Amino acid sequence: MKILLHSILLFCFSFLFIGKAVAQPEITIEVDPSEVSTAVNEEIQLTAEVKDSEGNIISQEVRFFSADRRSVSVNSAGVVSAMQPGEYELFAMYINEDGERFQKVIPVSVAYPPIKTINLIGVPERIYTQSGIRISQEVIDEAGLVRENPDVRYSVNSDIVTVDRFGFFEAKESGTVSLTVGSGDVNVSKEIEVVENPVASLTIGNEVESARTGDVLRLDTKAFDGLDEEVPDAPVEYSFRSEPDDQLGEGATAQIDQKGRFVANKPGFYTLIAKSGNQVARQVVRIEPRDVQQEIERVGHALVDNVHTSDLWIWEGVDGRDYAITGTWGGNGEAYFWDVTDPSDIIPLDSVTVDARTINDVKISEDGTLAVITREGASTRRNGIVLLDVTNPRQVEIITEYTEGLTGGVHNTFIYENHVYAVNNGTRYDIINIDDPENPHTVSRFELDRPGHSVHDVWIDNGLAYSSNWSNGIVVADVGSNPQADTPEGAELGLGSPSNPVELARYSYPSGWSHAAFPFKSESTGDFYVIAGDEAFPNGLYVEDRPTIPAGWIHFIKFNDWNSPEEVASYRVPEAGTHNFWVEGDILYIAYYNGGLRVVDISGELMGDLYEQGREIAHFSTVHHNGFVPNAAMAWGPQPYKGHIFVSDWNSGLWAFKLVKKES
């Protein structure tokens, strides 16, 4: 049976929807109101009746769902709550005694509240002639929300300056001018003094003449007046001109920001340009190819063709041999155990079956004796986690099931220092003490305080929990940190514990697809980053008979301090979408769903699009002609381990690879 799911939410909780196809419309669902118009923080009551073809009411038992519950939610009683302005859809569903499903779409329009405040950001009190800035502002409405892409008006009261409709402000003559910025019925004004520009010369401040694609050059431009005194507040504008190596019509592409950071995607000659007033400084640099490519050698493969494979974990057992555990998705609640001591000969050892449709996540304790597997779709609707004794992976034993407060389904989990962090029903993660694995107990929970909040995954490193919270982005919480750990310089640590998690930082980005996170400290620069990976299915999720084409990419957020995280780089494979990933040294391993395994050079400072810069070391398409969905890569999770790269694929099981140098 083919099942097409149209959103991330439905994917994560798809077990609720799998059943027979929607029947012909002899039965209809009537919803009152049939369309919802509301405002942020307001509630609307929906009622519904199910009628047959003659208009007779046959049921009022209708289930309501939201396609975007972080923006508009609806509970089982039909109460709609709006958290974000915009256009959305709700769904009313009726299931008859034969299991046939009937659905009604309810359009929802959430009005934008009136504008309340405009805050000007970084607009100076003084500006020099022959220079310009772009006006930045924060527009806040009466609901306290920062308006995205608001309609903004700009005006000035004098022709000594100009300002266009995009907020670019340019000073021509000296004097005083009043700048007015408006949105809706609100206006804010600021006086700016324009003074004569004293800049007589510039030094561009870069000694690097040759670099590779992806290398970041930093220009430290200084401005001087006619007496060779530095003008420290002189604004500097940066740009570049490119000359590509080839004659094929493709220009050499690059990026330069107004902090003076430059990076090139293609080889060639680049003229770096710094301008202040009417003074210009230039420098030509030569950019060479990055040349980091290697080959991926397929070492071994264990085909799983009867069910979808989910996550994996590789570990060294107490006997010194190497083992793997893999989960299953949409099956009968099985987890498989493998001997991977010889990656060219992956040997199945044992399996465990629990009451679940999906074992989405699998983790092994630090000492290699205990496994935790997650459950979704249990027949009893009591999902939770299962703890396993894996001291002997050839004869795995169930220690206990733990469902206290976890009945809604556990999607992902992590084991750290005798605690399990279990993502609970997509809304929070519960922290469970397993000092005594036969008697686990919950010691605390971590949940955001925002309307419509959600969480997908959590990763623990050095006592810090990095959770991926869809539209709420990455959230960092202290759950027992080590002040000497490789974390942001000057970060205040040691504040939390498993029984008292303390939030430290947040970072979100516009798409709202924050699905997985991985922290790392760059070996080559010392910078601290958190990688955020997207997950989205704009083309639907095909479970059985055709390939799926996900979307999304990798975001690199520099977290050198908790208060000012900065997204600096990305890695984007066209027409493919990310899932899980891992960093070892200065190499990133990505299970890029339909893009297969991707291995990426992340050495040095990161900026711009790493894919375009030629930082991809190698890739391998994890397809198999006898896969659960044949000839369709759907790489789920990678793990580098003892010189090999292990990958689980949703359609084709467990793989082992090795990077090898290209022959010259």
Side-chain angles (χ1 to χ4, degrees):
M1 176 182 63
K2 179 183 72 179
I3 304 162
L4 178 60
L5 306 180
H6 293 282
S7 70
I8 298 170
L9 178 63
L10 297 186
F11 170 57
C12 294
F13 300 99
S14 58
F15 62 85
L16 294 174
F17 292 88
I18 296 178
K20 296 184 179 180
V22 176
Q24 296 299 316
E26 294 133 0
I27 291 177
T28 59
I29 303 173
E30 294 186 2
V31 179
D32 183 27
S34 59
E35 298 182 5
V36 174
S37 296
T38 185
V40 172
N41 296 329
E42 287 189 356
E43 292 185 346
I44 298 290
Q45 175 69 59
L46 297 180
T47 60
E49 296 176 336
V50 182
K51 296 183 177 181
D52 61 20
S53 56
E54 297 179 354
N56 300 311
I57 298 174
I58 59 175
S59 178
Q60 292 179 317
E61 294 183 5
V62 173
R63 302 171 68 184
F64 293 100
F65 302 95
S66 172
D68 189 351
R69 63 189 179 92
R70 297 180 296 275
S71 300
V72 175
S73 66
V74 58
N75 65 18
S76 59
V79 177
V80 179
S81 300
M83 285 80 72
Q84 298 285 343
E87 303 295 324
Y88 307 101
E89 288 184 339
L90 302 177
F91 301 90
M93 179 176 290
Y94 167 69
I95 306 174
N96 68 12
E97 295 179 353
D98 296 325
E100 295 174 317
R101 296 166 185 260
F102 305 85
Q103 182 173 288
K104 174 78 172 182
V105 177
I106 306 109
V108 179
S109 178
V110 183
Y112 285 87
I115 302 301
K116 181 179 181 181
T117 306
I118 301 174
N119 298 322
L120 299 181
I121 300 174
V123 179
E125 305 284 342
R126 186 179 74 162
I127 191 171
Y128 291 126
T129 57
Q130 301 171 350
S131 64
I133 58 172
R134 185 176 184 274
I135 306 299
S136 296
Q137 65 284 315
E138 183 182 62
V139 178
I140 303 174
D141 60 32
E142 291 186 354
L145 301 172
V146 176
R147 185 71 60 86
E148 294 184 8
N149 302 315
D151 291 328
V152 180
R153 306 178 301 273
Y154 305 94
S155 62
V156 290
N157 67 344
S158 173
D159 59 4
I160 66 172
V161 301
T162 60
V163 62
D164 66 17
R165 65 189 184 94
F166 303 111
F168 286 95
F169 179 100
E170 186 172 5
K172 298 179 179 180
E173 301 175 18
S174 59
T176 301
V177 65
S178 178
L179 166 71
T180 299
V181 179
S183 184
D185 295 328
V186 177
N187 293 289
V188 62
S189 297
K190 180 173 183 175
E191 283 198 349
I192 301 174
E193 183 184 6
V194 182
V195 299
E196 288 294 333
N197 196 323
V199 177
S201 63
L202 295 173
T203 59
I204 200 164
N206 174 53
E207 298 180 356
V208 178
E209 296 181 349
S210 180
R212 301 176 301 166
T213 57
D215 288 346
V216 178
L217 307 184
R218 286 181 168 264
L219 309 185
D220 183 21
T221 301
K222 297 187 184 302
F224 300 90
D225 62 18
L227 299 176
D228 286 335
E229 296 289 334
E230 186 176 352
V231 184
D233 62 347
V236 178
E237 300 175 22
Y238 292 101
S239 60
F240 68 88
R241 185 171 64 85
S242 63
E243 298 178 34
D245 278 349
D246 60 56
Q247 303 298 321
L248 302 178
E250 179 185 17
T253 58
Q255 177 181 341
I256 193 167
D257 66 16
Q258 296 312 301
K259 296 179 181 179
R261 297 178 295 192
F262 169 83
V263 64
N265 296 345
K266 304 291 182 182
F269 288 100
Y270 292 82
T271 302
L272 309 182
I273 303 168
K275 178 179 180 296
S276 184
N278 58 8
Q279 298 300 310
V280 178
R282 297 182 177 87
Q283 181 191 19
V284 176
V285 296
R286 169 68 178 164
I287 302 298
E288 305 286 351
R290 193 163 191 86
D291 195 22
V292 295
Q293 284 68 40
Q294 298 185 44
E295 302 284 355
I296 283 187
E297 175 186 324
R298 170 182 158 176
V299 177
H301 180 215
L303 176 65
V304 178
D305 59 3
N306 64 318
V307 67
H308 289 296
T309 297
S310 59
D311 212 358
L312 83 167
W313 196 267
I314 317 296
W315 82 100
E316 183 177 308
V318 296
D319 59 1
R321 297 184 67 81
D322 297 320
Y323 298 101
I325 176 177
T326 56
T328 57
W329 189 98
N332 299 310
E334 295 175 321
Y336 298 138
F337 294 85
W338 315 82
D339 188 319
V340 296
T341 308
D342 178 1
S344 67
D345 184 22
I346 300 174
I347 302 170
L349 298 177
D350 196 4
S351 65
V352 169
T353 303
V354 297
D355 181 10
R357 280 192 60 256
T358 291
I359 306 299
N360 192 74
D361 203 4
V362 294
K363 293 290 189 295
I364 302 293
S365 61
E366 292 97 325
D367 63 4
T369 64
L370 187 70
V372 58
I373 62 176
T374 64
R375 298 200 308 182
E376 292 176 284
S379 64
T380 62
R381 297 189 179 181
R382 297 185 62 82
N383 290 285
I385 59 173
V386 180
L387 298 176
L388 309 173
D389 181 350
V390 295
T391 306
N392 179 7
R394 291 170 172 78
Q395 192 172 352
V396 177
E397 296 181 358
I398 294 176
I399 300 174
T400 188
E401 299 177 354
Y402 185 72
T403 62
E404 186 68 33
L406 300 170
T407 58
V410 176
H411 196 61
N412 283 306
T413 190
F414 204 89
I415 297 181
Y416 183 79
E417 293 186 348
N418 287 338
H419 288 81
V420 172
Y421 295 74
V423 174
N424 186 353
N425 200 27
T427 59
R428 66 177 191 243
Y429 56 84
D430 289 20
I431 304 176
I432 303 158
N433 183 294
I434 55 169
D435 283 330
D436 178 2
E438 294 184 358
N439 297 286
H441 61 280
T442 300
V443 297
S444 67
R445 298 181 173 95
F446 184 84
E447 184 169 2
L448 299 183
D449 57 0
R450 295 186 178 182
H453 62 268
S454 58
V455 60
H456 175 268
D457 203 354
V458 63
W459 187 274
I460 319 296
D461 186 56
N462 291 318
L464 297 176
Y466 300 84
S467 60
S468 301
N469 297 74
W470 296 123
S471 60
N472 295 127
I474 296 169
V475 178
V476 186
D478 191 334
V479 293
S481 63
N482 175 4
Q484 280 71 51
D486 284 339
T487 51
E489 298 296 333
E492 188 175 5
L493 301 177
L495 302 176
S497 66
S499 59
N500 179 38
V502 176
E503 182 178 327
L504 300 178
R506 296 187 187 189
Y507 178 84
S508 60
Y509 48 89
S511 74
W513 294 346
S514 182
H515 164 274
F518 198 104
F520 76 98
K521 188 171 186 178
S522 171
E523 287 191 351
S524 48
T525 69
D527 288 318
F528 190 83
Y529 295 89
V530 179
I531 299 175
D534 293 336
E535 182 184 69
F537 297 93
N539 305 294
L541 175 69
Y542 292 95
V543 173
E544 291 195 0
D545 62 350
R546 69 181 70 178
T548 294
I549 305 176
W553 58 84
I554 298 289
H555 305 251
F556 293 84
I557 297 98
K558 188 178 287 187
F559 261 95
N560 280 346
D561 67 73
W562 296 132
N563 296 321
S564 54
E566 177 189 14
E567 186 166 344
V568 294
S570 64
Y571 174 80
R572 312 183 184 198
V573 176
E575 298 181 359
T578 74
H579 197 243
N580 292 341
F581 38 89
W582 198 294
V583 173
E584 185 178 69
D586 275 340
I587 297 179
L588 168 64
Y589 303 88
I590 314 169
Y592 218 106
Y593 266 155
N594 54 322
L597 169 66
R598 301 282 168 155
V599 184
V600 184
D601 168 23
I602 54 172
S603 63
E605 185 173 359
L606 303 178
M607 176 179 172
D609 189 334
L610 308 191
Y611 181 85
E612 291 293 330
Q613 293 165 11
R615 283 179 172 266
E616 184 172 277
I617 296 171
H619 70 269
F620 190 98
S621 182
T622 50
V623 300
H624 196 280
H625 62 283
N626 286 329
F628 189 83
V629 177
N631 303 311
M634 201 67 168
W636 181 289
Q639 185 178 340
Y641 183 83
K642 293 186 179 181
H644 289 85
I645 311 157
F646 290 88
V647 177
S648 63
D649 185 283
W650 200 56
N651 291 327
S652 58
L654 180 62
W655 300 74
F657 302 100
K658 190 176 183 65
L659 275 178
V660 295
K661 297 287 186 181
K662 277 189 172 182
E663 295 184 4
S664 56

